[in-house]
C-alpha cells in the first residue's frame, strides 16, 4: 500500500480537498499551474490507494464468506470508494486546459477510470449502485439449480455440461443455470441507468464509451481495432465451427444438430459455449495419433490443487521470477470450502499493491483448471512486477495484457514440457500435432467470438440501443452473429441469459479476454523468436529460458506507466495488436480443417 507521501500544499485528506483549492483561489487568486495539477494528482493517488486497499480487503472477505453482512459491508465500502473517485474526477476538471506533460495528462484521463461503473454525484444513487452491484454478485455466486431431486451448484452443472453426452440432461443443466439470472434483470437495468448518468457527468457518452476510452486511443478507434482483429481470425473460427458442427451432427444426429445453421449452445462442453476443449473426444481427428490427456496425467500422478499451483509457480521461477511469498500460500483459497458460500469464479488478488498477492479458486484436478492456475498466477506475477509504480499505473499496459500473461505462459505447456516435469513419460509423435492443435483451438479459437460479443452486447446496453425488454433477444442475436450458436430452447419472456455469465452481474469488462486471446499468441511468438526457436509455434516452450524471462519481466514492470503500444513494442517489437500470430500458430490445423470441410457449406 502506498503510504501518504506529503504534498507541497499539505492537502491530503478528502475533506480538505475542496478547501485547499478554495484557499489557493482566495489567497493568491493565481491561475492554476502544472505544479498544482501534479500535487493534486499525487494526493489523489494517495487517497485512492488507501480507500482501494480497504475495499479490496473487504471484497476479499466477502468473496470468501458471502453473507448478508459481508455483502452489506462491501456495498458500503464500494459506495465510499465510488464517492471518493467521483469527487476526485470532478475536482480534476479544474485542471482541464492546462498544458501538462503527456504523462500527467494521461494520469488525469486514468483518474476518470478508477471505477468500472461510476455514479453521478448523488448520494442516494451511489448507494443504490453499490447495493445492486453487491446483490448481483451474490445472487450469481450463491445460485443453485434444482435438478434430479437435488440442489446443484454451478460447479456441478458445469461438470454435467463438460462430460455428459445426453442432449436432454445437457439441456436440463444448461436451462437450469439460466433460471438463476432471471431475478437480476430489473436491478441490472437500474444499475445501467445510474452508471450511465455517472459516465455522462465525467464527460463520456455512456459507460461503454468510458470502457473503450481505456486503451490510449479514441473510443471509436478502439471499436475499429477490435473489429479488425476479429476479421483477421474469423476465417479460422469459421473453419473450426464448420468442422465441429459436422462432427456433432454425426455424433448426435441431424435432429439434434443440423449440418447447417447455428450450433445449439448446450452441446459444446461449456456452460457458455465459450471454450470447447471438453468436447475434444467427440471431434478429435481420427487419423491423429493420440495426444496428451492432461486431466488423466494429473490424476494419475496424484496432483491436488496445491501441487497444480506449485507447478505453475515452478514455470515462472524457471523464467527467473522470485518464488511466491509465504503469505500467498497462507492466505489464498485453493479449493471450494464445504461449509460456506464463496465466489468460486477464479480470480487473482493484490491486497496491498506490494507482495500480498493471492489467488482464489475452487480448483478441480483437470486440464482446464491447470491452465487457469497459470492464468491466475500470471496476474499475480504482473502485480508484483509493477509494484514500484504509482497508484494509477498499478495495472496492466491495457486490461488485455493483464489477462494474457498467464495464458502466454500456459501456451508453453507442451508435451516436451510435461515430460520434463514428469507428468507424462512419452512425448507423442509428430502425427499427434493436429490433435494437439485441435484441442488448443477448441479452447482458444472458439473463445474469440465469445470474447468479442459479450461487450458488444454491453456497449449496446449502455448506449441505449438495447432496452431491458430486448436484453435477451439482443444477446442471442450477437451469439448467433459472432459465434454461430443458438439457444437450445425457446427462451422464456423473463429470461436474462447474459446474467448467467459471471462477468455480467460481476461487472467485469470482457473485451480484455478477447484482446488477451490475440495478445497471448503475439507474446508467445515473440518469446519463441527471442529464444531462437525455428520449429512450429505450438511445439515451442520457453520453460527455463531466463533471457526471455528478463525481457518479459521488463514489460511487466512497466505496468500502465506508458501507453500500451510502448509495452508491446518493448517485448514484441510491434506497436500494434495483431491477430496474425494466432493465424500462424494454427496454420497447420487450418490447412487440415479446410481439407475436412471440402464440399461442406460453412457458415451459419
Ligand atoms: O474470468 C476469467 C478468469 C479470471 S480473470 C478465470 N476468464 C474468462 C472467463 O472465465 O470467462 C479467463 C478466460 C475468460
Ligand atoms: Zn484473469
Amino acid at each position: 500500500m502506498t503510504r501518504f507521501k506529503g504534498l507541497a500544499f499539505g492537502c491530503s485528506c478528502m475533506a480538505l480537498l475542496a478547501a485547499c483549492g478554495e484557499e489557493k483561489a482566495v489567497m493568491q487568486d493565481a491561475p492554476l499551474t502544472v505544479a498544482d495539477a501534479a500535487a493534486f494528482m499525487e494526493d489523489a493517488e494517495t487517497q485512492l490507494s488507501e480507500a482501494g486497499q480497504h475495499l479490496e480487503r473487504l471484497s476479499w472477505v466477502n468473496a470468501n464468506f458471502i453473507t448478508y453482512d459481508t455483502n452489506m459491508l462491501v456495498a458500503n465500502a464500494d459506495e465510499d470508494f465510488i464517492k471518493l473517485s467521483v469527487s476526485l474526477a470532478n475536482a480534476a476538471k479544474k485542471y482541464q486546459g492546462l498544458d501538462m506533460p503527456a504523462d500527467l495528462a494521461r494520469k488525469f484521463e486514468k483518474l476518470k477510470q478508477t471505477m468500472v461503473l461510476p455514479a453521478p454525484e448523488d448520494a442516494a444513487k451511489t448507494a443504490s449502485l453499490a447495493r445492486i452491484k453487491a446483490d448481483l454478485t451474490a445472487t450469481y455466486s450463491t445460485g443453485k439449480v434444482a435438478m434430479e431431486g437435488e440442489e446443484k451448484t454451478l460447479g456441478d452443472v458445469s461438470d454435467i455440461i463438460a462430460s455428459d453426452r445426453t442432449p436432454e440432461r445437457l439441456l436440463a443443466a444448461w436451462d437450469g443455470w439460466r433460471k438463476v439470472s432471471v431475478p437480476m434483470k430489473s436491478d441490472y437495468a437500474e444499475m445501467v441507468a445510474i452508471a450511465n448518468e455517472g459516465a455522462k457527468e465525467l464527460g463520456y457518452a455512456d459507460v461503454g464509451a468510458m470502457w473503450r476510452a481505456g486503451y490510449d486511443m479514441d473510443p471509436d478507434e478502439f471499436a475499429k481495432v477490435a473489429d479488425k482483429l476479429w476479421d483477421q481470425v474469423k476465417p479460422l473460427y469459421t473453419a473450426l465451427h464448420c468442422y465441429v458442427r459436422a462432427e456433432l451432427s454425426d455424433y448426435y444426429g441431424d435432429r439434434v444438430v443440423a449440418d447447417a445453421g447455428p450450433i445449439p449452445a448446450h452441446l459444446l462442453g461449456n456452460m457458455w459455449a465459450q471454450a470447447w476443449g471438453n468436447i475434444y473426444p467427440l471431434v478429435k481427428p481420427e487419423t491423429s495419433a493420440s495426444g496428451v490427456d492432461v486431466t488423466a496425467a494429473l490424476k494419475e500422478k496424484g496432483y491436488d490443487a496445491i501441487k497444480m499451483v506449485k507447478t505453475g509457480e515452478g514455470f515462472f521461477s524457471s523464467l527467473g521470477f522470485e518464488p511466491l511469498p509465504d503469505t500467498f500460500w497462507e492466505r489464498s483459497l485453493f479449493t471450494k470450502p464445504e461449509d460456506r458460500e464463496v465466489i468460486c469464479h477464479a480470480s487473482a488478488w493484490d491486497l496491498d499493491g506490494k507482495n500480498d498477492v493471492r489467488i482464489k479458486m475452487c480448483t478441480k484436478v483437470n486440464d482446464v483448471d491447470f491452465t487457469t492456475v497459470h492464468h491466475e498466477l500470471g496476474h499475480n506475477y504482473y502485480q508484483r512486477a509493477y509494484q514500484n509504480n504509482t497508484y494509477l499505473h498499478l495495472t496492466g499496459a491495457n486490461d488485455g495484457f493483464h489477462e494474457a500473461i498467464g495464458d502466454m505462459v500456459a501456451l508453453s505447456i507442451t508435451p516436451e514440457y510435461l515430460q520434463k516435469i514428469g507428468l507424462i513419460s512419452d512425448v507423442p509423435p509428430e502425427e499427434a500435432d493436429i490433435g494437439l492443435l485441435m484441442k488448443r483451438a477448441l479452447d482458444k479459437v472458439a473463445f474469440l467470438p465469445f470474447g468479442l460479443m459479450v461487450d458488444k452486447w454491453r456497449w449496446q446496453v449502455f448506449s441505449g440501443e438495447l432496452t431491458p425488454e430486448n436484453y435477451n433477444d439482443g444477446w442471442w442475436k450477437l451469439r448467433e452473429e459472432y459465434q454461430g450458436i443458438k439457444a437450445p430452447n425457446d427462451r422464456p419472456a423473463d429470461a436474462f441469459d447474459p446474467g448467467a455469465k459471471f462477468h455480467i452481474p460481476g461487472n467485469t469488462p470482457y473485451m480484455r479476454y478477447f484482446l488477451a486471446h490475440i495478445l497471448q499468441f503475439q507474446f508467445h511468438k515473440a518469446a519463441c523468436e527471442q529464444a531462437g526457436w525455428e520449429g512450429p509455434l505450438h511445439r515451442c516452450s520457453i520453460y527455463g529460458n531466463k533471457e526471455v524471462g528478463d525481457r518479459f519481466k521488463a514489460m511487466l514492470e512497466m505496468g500502465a506507466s506508458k501507453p500500451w503500444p510502448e509495452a508491446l513494442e518493448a517485448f514484441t517489437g510491434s506497436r500494434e495488436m495483431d491477430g496474425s500470430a494466432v493465424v500462424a500458430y494454427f496454420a497447420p490445423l487450418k490447412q487440415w480443417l479446410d481439407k475436412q470441410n471440402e464440399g461442406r457449406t460453412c457458415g451459419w
Side-chain angles (χ1 to χ4, degrees), residues 274 345-347 372 375-376 379 403 447 450 501 503 510 513 517:
Q274 67 180 63
H345 190 87
S347 54
T372 304
H375 174 94
E376 298 309 335
H379 287 306
E403 300 301 336
F447 181 83
F450 182 74
K501 173 68 196 161
H503 303 69
Y510 212 79
Y513 302 108
H517 278 67

Side-chain angles (χ1 to χ4, degrees), residues 14 48 51 78-91 111-115 202 391:
M14 196 182 13
L48 286 167
D78 194 25
E79 186 182 333
D80 290 345
F81 187 81
I82 297 172
K83 277 186 190 154
L84 172 63
S85 298
V86 169
S87 84
L88 288 170
N90 282 324
L111 188 63
K112 295 195 285 177
Q113 306 242 347
T114 55
M115 305 149 280
L202 296 178
Y391 179 79

